[in-house]
Amino acid sequence: MEFSNILQEIFFSPTLVYIIIGTVLGVIFGAIPGLTATLAVVILLPLTYGMDPLAGIATLLAAYIGGISGGVVAAVLIGMPGTPSSVTTAFDGYPLAKKGLGARTLGMGAMSNLVGSLISLAFLIMLAPQLAKLALSFTPFEYTMVMLFAFVMVAGLTGDFFKSLIVTVFGLVLASWGYDPINAATRNPLGLEFLSNGVPAVPAMIGLFVISRVFVELETDQGSPIIPKSKSTRTFPTAKDMKDSTPNFLRSGLIGTAIGILPGIGASLATFVAYDRAKKASKEPETFGKGNLQGVVASETSNNAVIGGAMIPLLALGIPGDGVTALLLGGLQMHGLQPGPLLFTSQPDFLTGLFIAFFLSVVIMYLFMTTIGAKIFPFLLSAKKSYLLPIVLVMSIAGSYNIGFRITDVWIMVIFGVIGYFMDKWNFSTLPLVITLLLGASFEKYLRNGLIQSGGDLTPFFTRSLALLFFVFTVLTIVFVLKPKKKGTHAKPS
């Protein structure tokens, strides 16, 4: 079927309506702290069973795109990341909003979502089979060094490197609880039944980033809004903003796409890497964490670029790149489609339609966030704290419970909320704790699998070319972080 016929089939069928519904629902879920793109896709998955394959998968993909994009809203307007991939967005987005630049920042974040998605879509269309082969060349040795680089790099983003290392070790200890990833032995030092599966990362992150913020805000005037009213309602970027951001767009888009291709890594690492690169490339690195628009651009471009990158191994090899693409794999199989090299020869019309749906969802997301969303979300999130904080608290509880439908996850959220509150009081960054909760179990699995393959020999971790490359990156990061800095030039991300 020709491209024009496929395009007409989408436009003049319920598929377009489903794409709009999936995108808008995803943005709403991403914008509300405690809800995620994963949850949006989980809710929609059974509803797509009766649809034709293209309409069903397009709906799920639209919810994925909308959910990742929507995380910028809460990160900018109330400093609470709507999704884990928007953690770095809050570093600069929230300080900008407190300066009355919320609308401008939100608009630039939406533009970054658009650009990042389109960059990754281009790679998805042109280079899926070739780039997917690169991910297959990674062994446990390479993945171990990638994770090590991630931990060191995140520690280097914070104000005190040694404090961050302490938090990283603490996070790795927590991540080691639960079932052993190799032999399934139970590791539960406290003997509590609800920790038998380990510390759930999402409820913990809701506690660290949302509940701890609620505790902090409760100490302030409850009659005032969390952020002031925006000085301008303009959400479309200026020509100068676009020109200044072009190198950042390209760099962060490529980083997000490349990391998205690697199964099991995900958007969280991509945003940290892109943010770090943007800070190092900036002429004013000391302003990062205090309200630099390029920090938002790097974070939001990279996290959306991960989407197309994660779709590459899914469609070309049948390997999910992250949790949401694992759900998409289930959706494909539910509709009788088996991802892999044969999909490109046996179902070319389906793939063409899916690429069109990807593009349409990205455009719908941008238009919704910069028009209707730009008016609704600031209004809702700029309410008085006495109104807003109880709503945020209820949504956080609901979000934590909905992850696994366990009341114990709510208690995990509260416990980590208290931990996050005191870490903030004592000037310990929560970022290393978050990244180790997200990647700690994978780090242990790859490290131990590598040691099993090498018979306990550490040499392959440093002699294989790609593993050695990431080890060199790790060493260079440590050297850069420990290098003496001029007084007043180091900023801690908030």
Side-chain angles (χ1 to χ4, degrees):
M1 189 183 297
E2 293 182 358
F3 176 84
S4 59
N5 292 334
I6 298 173
L7 189 61
Q8 289 178 22
E9 183 179 327
I10 292 176
F11 268 95
F12 298 104
S13 73
T15 303
L16 180 60
V17 177
Y18 296 145
I19 292 173
I20 294 173
I21 293 173
T23 303
V24 173
L25 183 67
V27 170
I28 293 172
F29 269 62
I32 299 174
L35 305 184
T36 63
T38 304
L39 186 56
V41 174
V42 167
I43 290 173
L44 289 175
L45 183 59
L47 302 179
T48 65
Y49 181 74
M51 301 180 186
D52 68 80
L54 177 57
I57 302 304
T59 304
L60 299 178
L61 178 60
Y64 182 17
I65 293 169
I68 297 297
S69 304
V72 67
V73 176
V76 170
L77 297 181
I78 56 177
M80 301 176 183
T83 61
S85 59
S86 294
V87 170
T88 48
T89 304
F91 293 171
D92 294 279
Y94 185 55
L96 285 167
K98 298 201 76 160
K99 296 174 183 177
L101 300 174
R104 178 193 176 199
T105 306
L106 193 60
M108 200 63 192
M111 174 58 73
S112 301
N113 294 150
L114 175 69
V115 174
S117 298
L118 294 180
I119 289 174
S120 68
L121 175 59
F123 277 91
L124 175 61
I125 294 172
M126 296 185 298
L127 303 173
Q130 292 80 3
L131 291 180
K133 292 178 182 177
L134 178 63
L136 285 181
S137 68
F138 271 57
T139 67
F141 305 109
E142 283 78 20
Y143 277 119
T144 300
M145 287 306 179
V146 170
M147 301 288 182
L148 183 63
F149 170 59
F151 298 147
V152 172
M153 183 195 62
V154 171
L157 283 174
T158 60
D160 190 316
F161 183 66
F162 295 104
K163 278 187 175 181
S164 296
L165 285 180
I166 294 173
V167 175
T168 299
V169 173
F170 175 59
L172 288 173
V173 170
L174 293 180
S176 69
W177 291 2
Y179 290 106
D180 187 299
I182 304 299
N183 56 32
T186 301
R187 299 181 300 195
N188 189 351
L190 299 180
L192 300 175
E193 184 178 350
F194 68 91
L195 290 176
S196 59
N197 290 322
V199 178
V202 174
M205 285 189 295
I206 293 173
L208 288 170
F209 288 109
V210 181
I211 302 304
S212 64
R213 176 71 65 178
V214 169
F215 291 156
V216 170
E217 295 295 343
L218 285 174
E219 297 178 334
T220 61
D221 178 16
Q222 298 303 294
S224 62
I226 291 181
I227 61 167
K229 186 176 180 180
S230 224
K231 296 176 182 177
S232 169
T233 58
R234 179 189 178 97
T235 55
F236 294 98
T238 63
K240 184 179 185 304
D241 284 339
M242 293 298 293
K243 180 181 178 182
D244 293 343
S245 302
T246 298
N248 200 354
F249 280 144
L250 297 174
R251 179 178 58 248
S252 301
L254 292 174
I255 288 172
T257 303
I259 291 179
I261 294 170
L262 304 176
I265 304 299
S268 298
L269 175 60
T271 56
F272 286 119
V273 174
Y275 187 90
D276 179 63
R277 294 296 95 194
K279 182 177 179 180
K280 286 180 170 60
S282 174
K283 296 179 180 178
E284 300 175 321
E286 71 278 0
T287 63
F288 276 67
K290 297 179 180 178
N292 190 313
L293 193 61
Q294 294 307 310
V296 176
V297 170
S299 178
E300 291 301 313
T301 303
S302 59
N303 68 19
N304 269 60
V306 167
I307 298 173
M311 293 292 291
I312 291 173
L314 173 68
L315 295 178
L317 299 165
I319 301 174
D322 58 14
V324 185
T325 48
L327 293 171
L328 291 177
L329 175 61
L332 287 164
Q333 293 173 340
M334 184 175 72
H335 286 282
L337 297 170
Q338 185 57 49
L342 292 179
L343 187 65
F344 286 80
T345 56
S346 63
Q347 298 287 342
D349 291 349
F350 169 78
L351 288 172
T352 301
L354 196 62
F355 297 152
I356 293 173
F358 191 118
F359 177 79
L360 291 175
S361 177
V362 170
V363 174
I364 292 166
M365 171 276 298
Y366 179 73
L367 293 177
F368 176 74
M369 289 184 64
T370 53
T371 55
I372 300 174
K375 292 179 173 60
I376 293 176
F377 290 128
F379 173 75
L380 294 177
L381 297 177
S382 63
K384 291 181 179 180
K385 295 176 186 177
S386 56
Y387 300 142
L388 182 61
L389 293 180
I391 296 174
V392 170
L393 187 60
V394 170
M395 294 305 300
S396 298
I397 292 173
S400 294
Y401 181 76
N402 285 337
I403 298 298
F405 300 100
R406 297 183 297 265
I407 194 64
T408 51
D409 285 350
V410 177
W411 286 113
I412 290 289
M413 176 196 74
V414 174
I415 291 170
F416 276 86
V418 174
I419 291 174
Y421 172 78
F422 284 105
M423 288 180 70
D424 181 73
K425 290 291 184 183
W426 297 333
N427 293 320
F428 278 85
S429 173
T430 56
L431 295 180
L433 184 54
V434 170
I435 200 69
T436 47
L437 286 174
L438 286 171
L439 302 179
S442 297
F443 175 72
E444 180 191 0
K445 181 181 70 174
Y446 290 129
L447 174 62
R448 291 178 61 188
N449 278 333
L451 290 173
I452 290 172
Q453 289 184 24
S454 66
D457 184 10
L458 290 173
T459 305
F461 290 97
F462 305 99
T463 55
R464 294 177 61 90
S465 57
L466 290 175
L468 177 61
L469 179 64
F470 281 104
F471 176 70
V472 171
F473 287 161
T474 302
V475 173
L476 291 177
T477 300
I478 294 174
V479 171
F480 178 82
V481 170
L482 296 181
K483 183 175 66 175
K485 299 178 177 60
K486 295 180 181 179
K487 187 176 180 181
T489 61
H490 193 86
K492 173 190 173 185
S494 56

